[in-house]
Amino acid sequence: MYAVLDIETTGGQFNEEGITEIAIYKFDGNQVVDQFISLVNPEMEIQPFVVKLTGINTSMLRLAPKFYEVAKRIIEITENCVLVAHNAEFDYRILRNEFKRLGYEYSRNTLCTVELSQKLLPDMPSYSLGKLVRSLGIPIADRHRANGDAMATEKLFELLLSKDKEKTILTSMIKSDIKIGISPKYLDIVDSLPSTIGIYYILDKEGTIIFIGKSKNIRKKVLQHFTSTLPIFKKIQQETYTVTFEKTGTELIALLKEAEEINANKPKYNKVNKSSVFAYSLYLKANIEGYIYLAIEKTDGRKKNVMAFTSPNEARKFLHKVFVGQDELPYVDFIYEKKSTKITVDNFFTDFTQTREEFNAKVLELLKPFDIDNDNVLIIDKGRKVDEKSAVALENGKLNGYCFFNLHHQINAPERIAANLTPVLFNRNNRNMLLNYLNKKSGYKLIHY
């Protein structure tokens, strides 16, 4: 659990500042579950430059609660949480000093979004909160007020969590929980998980990730693991300390994220599948007269395919969906292995009545909704929340990564897309995964930019 906070102060000499406003958002890694926002009467003078910067003056704070009146609420909302702030050293120092004046030793683990941003978002023009979030397309209101800055920091932290492929943020939080003795039972774990699409991480008592999985229903899948009698899951059950998760919004991002993070973290109970899941592919070819025809063959990683399939039957369904009902259909050379014998079936037609240019243009137009090789492409789909969308970005057929963005803020500027992306290493299986997803799913938009 995280407590994302921002504090406004009176200014003044080091370690003598007072708090004028505080905002805390309790964040469970997926959503805000509690919040506390309040002006605070510091019982001291506010420096003129601070008044000009924040707009907070002495008259505004005359009836505000003093720190000792909100101290209990701050302790409660941050209990068992890692404190997250932009320049966390400053906010944590101010908070500790206020509690010290009350004779109370306040201690929490901290994470700094400046340091995390410098690591996970290299080459940004600035790491000040205002300039950084604007570069990323994160909305920010009431700049230099605690609520506005804390809310922007929470959104920034969500992005940083998504970009953290090695899960250093996640494991640091779990290790913090272990120190204070939080050890949930299996039923408690399952009850805390959502019935949505995403990735889940099973961790042991050392805070090490031992298994990463994906599912359309995280809760159901993890429950299956906990009730399985298979030897591998018996071992996982014995070693499980806790389970955490990330919603992905779409199955495509779950697929990409699972493969990338298994590769980055190498959990001991995840087996690496070296064989291709997509054994068959659609290739474009041309006959001696230059007319395009389609070849369904065993997937060959040396050739660029138009579509990828798990079986010959899936390939047949794709051809039927795209081409049946047209005036003329392309010749299809459908080859698959069966008992070591190559069988050719479904020669749709060989009597061409259109010109080569007309015919080829028509075939390519019918395949255009699945074309990821020309221009830069965004696959826009559902997000993790109702006010959010997801985007998977490709550049001339090469997968760059994925990101999430607010419905009210466009990210179609190339530099903004690049800043928001969680990179994904491109490989043949990822390409086939993308193609197969475009074939099977609906509701997405393919945008060329």
Side-chain angles (χ1 to χ4, degrees), residues 96-112:
R96 281 173 61 86
N97 282 342
E98 288 283 10
F99 277 108
K100 194 175 292 184
R101 290 169 190 150
L102 299 178
Y104 180 81
E105 186 65 28
Y106 181 81
S107 179
R108 299 286 187 271
N109 290 332
T110 63
L111 282 170
C112 178

Side-chain angles (χ1 to χ4, degrees), residues 430-443:
N430 278 348
R431 175 187 168 81
N432 290 338
M433 196 183 294
L434 283 162
L435 291 172
N436 193 259
Y437 185 84
L438 296 181
N439 172 27
K440 287 183 174 180
K441 302 297 179 181
S442 60

Side-chain angles (χ1 to χ4, degrees), residues 161-178:
L161 281 173
S162 177
K163 283 180 170 286
D164 183 24
K165 290 185 289 188
E166 285 80 19
K167 297 297 154 198
T168 53
I169 301 173
L170 168 66
T171 53
S172 68
M173 182 195 71
I174 297 301
K175 287 176 182 177
S176 174
D177 287 348
I178 290 168

Side-chain angles (χ1 to χ4, degrees), residues 66-208:
K66 297 177 177 64
F67 184 78
Y68 74 85
E69 295 177 280
V70 298
K72 183 180 178 182
R73 174 66 172 136
I74 293 170
I75 291 170
E76 289 173 346
I77 196 171
T78 63
E79 190 173 8
N80 298 333
C81 288
V82 176
L83 295 186
V84 180
H86 207 68
N87 191 6
E89 183 180 354
F90 172 81
D91 294 80
Y92 187 47
R93 175 179 66 81
I94 297 296
L95 206 51
R96 281 173 61 86
N97 282 342
E98 288 283 10
F99 277 108
K100 194 175 292 184
R101 290 169 190 150
L102 299 178
Y104 180 81
E105 186 65 28
Y106 181 81
S107 179
R108 299 286 187 271
N109 290 332
T110 63
L111 282 170
C112 178
T113 51
V114 175
E115 295 174 3
L116 290 172
S117 297
Q118 289 170 339
K119 177 184 176 182
L120 299 171
L121 298 167
D123 305 320
M124 295 300 291
S126 172
Y127 291 95
S128 70
L129 182 62
K131 291 179 180 178
L132 180 59
V133 297
R134 277 193 289 271
S135 297
L136 297 168
I138 295 171
I140 184 168
D142 294 328
R143 182 74 177 101
H144 298 299
R145 291 295 299 268
N147 185 31
D149 286 359
M151 187 177 294
T153 302
E154 189 274 324
K155 296 297 181 187
L156 172 63
F157 187 56
E158 283 191 52
L159 174 63
L160 295 171
L161 281 173
S162 177
K163 283 180 170 286
D164 183 24
K165 290 185 289 188
E166 285 80 19
K167 297 297 154 198
T168 53
I169 301 173
L170 168 66
T171 53
S172 68
M173 182 195 71
I174 297 301
K175 287 176 182 177
S176 174
D177 287 348
I178 290 168
K179 287 179 183 177
I180 55 179
I182 299 172
S183 181
K185 305 288 185 182
Y186 288 154
L187 288 177
D188 292 335
I189 291 173
V190 172
D191 285 344
S192 70
L193 300 176
S195 301
T196 54
I197 296 173
I199 302 291
Y200 56 91
Y201 310 88
I202 300 179
L203 298 96
D204 64 15
K205 64 181 180 180
E206 303 299 324
T208 302

Side-chain angles (χ1 to χ4, degrees), residues 205-413:
K205 64 181 180 180
E206 303 299 324
T208 302
I209 299 172
I210 60 174
F211 187 81
I212 297 175
K214 69 174 187 311
S215 180
K216 295 178 183 178
N217 186 327
I218 295 173
R219 179 184 293 177
K220 183 178 179 181
K221 190 72 172 181
V222 173
L223 183 59
Q224 288 173 353
H225 294 337
F226 287 165
T227 55
S228 174
T229 57
L230 292 174
I232 186 172
F233 289 111
K234 282 288 187 183
K235 292 179 181 178
I236 289 173
Q237 290 161 20
Q238 291 172 359
E239 296 182 33
T240 295
Y241 178 83
T242 191
V243 180
T244 187
F245 64 92
E246 287 186 32
K247 296 178 182 178
T248 61
T250 70
E251 190 179 354
L252 176 58
I253 293 179
L255 288 164
L256 295 172
K257 195 173 180 69
E258 179 194 39
E260 186 80 353
E261 293 188 352
I262 287 174
N263 183 59
N265 293 280
K266 298 178 173 54
K268 65 179 182 179
Y269 291 120
N270 281 104
K271 293 181 179 179
V272 179
N273 185 9
K274 295 184 178 180
S275 61
S276 175
V277 178
F278 306 99
Y280 302 90
S281 286
L282 170 66
Y283 299 100
L284 283 184
K285 297 186 176 183
N287 66 10
I288 197 168
E289 288 85 16
Y291 283 86
I292 288 175
Y293 72 94
L294 309 176
I296 305 294
E297 301 175 352
K298 286 276 190 177
T299 297
D300 183 344
R302 296 166 297 179
K303 299 188 295 185
K304 185 169 283 188
N305 53 352
V306 177
M307 184 52 63
F309 311 103
T310 57
S311 67
N313 189 51
E314 193 173 273
R316 289 176 185 273
K317 289 180 179 178
F318 174 79
L319 294 172
H320 187 273
K321 175 174 71 175
V322 176
F323 294 106
V324 168
Q326 302 299 318
D327 295 335
E328 290 185 341
L329 300 173
Y331 173 88
V332 178
D333 192 19
F334 201 130
I335 301 175
Y336 64 98
E337 300 288 342
K338 187 175 182 181
K339 295 182 180 178
S340 302
T341 303
K342 286 187 177 180
I343 303 173
T344 304
V345 295
D346 294 344
N347 294 344
F348 284 176
F349 85 101
T350 55
D351 182 20
F352 299 98
T353 59
Q354 300 178 39
T355 67
R356 181 180 62 196
E357 289 74 17
E358 290 172 336
F359 178 79
N360 289 352
K362 183 175 182 180
V363 173
L364 294 175
E365 183 65 27
L366 290 170
L367 291 171
K368 193 172 181 179
F370 311 98
D371 179 17
I372 61 171
D373 294 323
N374 295 309
D375 305 320
N376 296 337
V377 176
L378 290 178
I379 304 171
I380 305 294
D381 212 328
K382 294 180 295 185
R384 300 161 297 185
K385 297 172 280 192
V386 293
D387 61 346
E388 187 179 66
K389 288 284 187 182
S390 65
V392 173
L394 300 100
E395 185 175 346
N396 297 321
K398 182 180 178 182
L399 175 65
N400 283 348
Y402 61 87
C403 64
F404 301 95
F405 62 97
N406 190 283
L407 282 175
H408 306 296
H409 292 80
Q410 298 300 315
I411 61 157
N412 52 4

